[in-house]
Amino acid sequence: QENYNIGTEGARALGNLLSSSTSLKELQLAKNHVGVEGARQLALGLAANSTLVSLNLEWCKMRGEGVAHMASALGGHKSLLSLNLARNGMGDRGVKAMAEALEGNTVLRRLDLRVNSIGLVGCRLVGTLLRDKNTTLMQVFMGGNEMEEHVLEALEDLAATARTLPQRKRLVVPSAPPPGQPTLSTQPASMAAALLVPALQFDVPAAAASSGVGAAGGGLGLMSSRRSSARSSGSAVGGSGALRGDGRK
């Protein structure tokens, strides 16, 4: 529940709880003013935790630096299935840290990155992660970021597609379909995979390159088919040991 007074001290207390708890399954902190230092304190607790299944940090003012702290705890985490980082203004910097951490994570199934000022570089990083480095994420929510809607939907569809790393055929982000061809938004994923249409060519802006956020890989390897899945915040994976931001279970 919304609480702008939680601050660093409150986050430190919650971090201590995470590190010592053997029963907590769900932690809901949406709209709490966690901030960068608070995120660091939570990450310390999360790294020592082995029971948490769902963590909601939507709208917690963590920015890219705070999300990077949280990412540091994810690489080898053994229980977290759902992570909501929507509306934190993480930008491409936060996505870079998260993508690197999730290369070694085989547990997380749901990741919410909506409305985070993620641009071209960040979308390419997510695409490369899903295509080449992580086959266990099943839901990634990208709505409201700074790329065309069909690119964001393609990333979501790629996450929802069964993937294997060896011998996987590279797919491309489609632009407009050939005349007379049904749009990919009306195609099942299996049909979209078979359509070879002109790819969008992505050139990394000089500003992004100089910022130290590299563009991973070549063009995004994606499939695009509009799904009717909820792009708004859905219910996270729950558990019997849930704790809300206001301290209520």
Side-chain angles (χ1 to χ4, degrees), residues 67-80:
V67 170
H69 287 314
M70 296 306 303
S72 68
L74 289 180
H77 203 275
K78 303 300 183 184
S79 64
L80 193 67

Side-chain angles (χ1 to χ4, degrees), residues 14-224:
L14 288 169
N16 291 336
L17 173 65
L18 280 171
S19 64
S20 60
S21 176
T22 58
S23 60
L24 185 64
K25 300 293 184 184
E26 180 177 356
L27 184 57
Q28 296 280 352
L29 291 175
K31 297 184 180 180
N32 282 279
H33 194 171
V34 172
V36 173
E37 179 58 23
R40 189 178 75 85
Q41 297 297 330
L42 284 174
L44 292 173
L46 183 62
N49 176 275
S50 60
T51 62
L52 197 69
V53 173
S54 176
L55 177 58
N56 186 346
L57 292 170
E58 181 175 356
W59 224 327
C60 284
K61 300 182 181 294
M62 295 190 298
R63 317 296 293 177
E65 185 178 354
V67 170
H69 287 314
M70 296 306 303
S72 68
L74 289 180
H77 203 275
K78 303 300 183 184
S79 64
L80 193 67
L81 298 176
S82 176
L83 177 61
N84 187 345
L85 295 173
R87 295 180 172 86
N88 271 289
M90 70 173 68
D92 292 340
R93 176 183 181 182
V95 173
K96 182 176 186 292
M98 191 59 57
E100 290 173 351
L102 292 179
E103 289 180 18
N105 183 294
T106 58
V107 178
L108 193 69
R109 296 293 184 268
R110 181 186 188 276
L111 178 63
D112 195 333
L113 299 176
R114 291 171 300 125
V115 196
N116 261 305
S117 302
I118 299 170
L120 169 62
V121 174
C123 285
R124 293 182 69 173
L125 288 166
V126 173
T128 298
L129 171 71
L130 294 173
R131 185 189 64 212
D132 296 331
K133 300 176 181 180
N134 183 302
T135 62
T136 52
L137 268 174
M138 299 171 64
Q139 290 181 297
V140 176
F141 299 96
M142 294 292 298
N145 284 298
E146 297 177 359
M147 283 295 290
E148 291 85 352
E149 189 73 8
H150 75 278
V151 173
L152 300 176
E153 288 178 350
L155 286 167
E156 294 181 347
D157 287 342
L158 181 59
T161 302
R163 309 180 304 281
T164 55
L165 295 181
Q167 299 179 343
R168 188 169 62 256
K169 185 178 294 184
R170 177 168 295 195
L171 301 174
V172 294
V173 176
S175 59
Q181 180 72 267
T183 61
L184 286 182
S185 62
T186 64
Q187 302 285 343
S190 58
M191 295 178 67
L195 292 177
L196 300 177
V197 295
L200 293 174
Q201 298 301 315
F202 293 144
D203 296 321
V204 180
S210 63
S211 69
V213 181
L220 286 171
L222 307 170
M223 291 182 297
S224 178

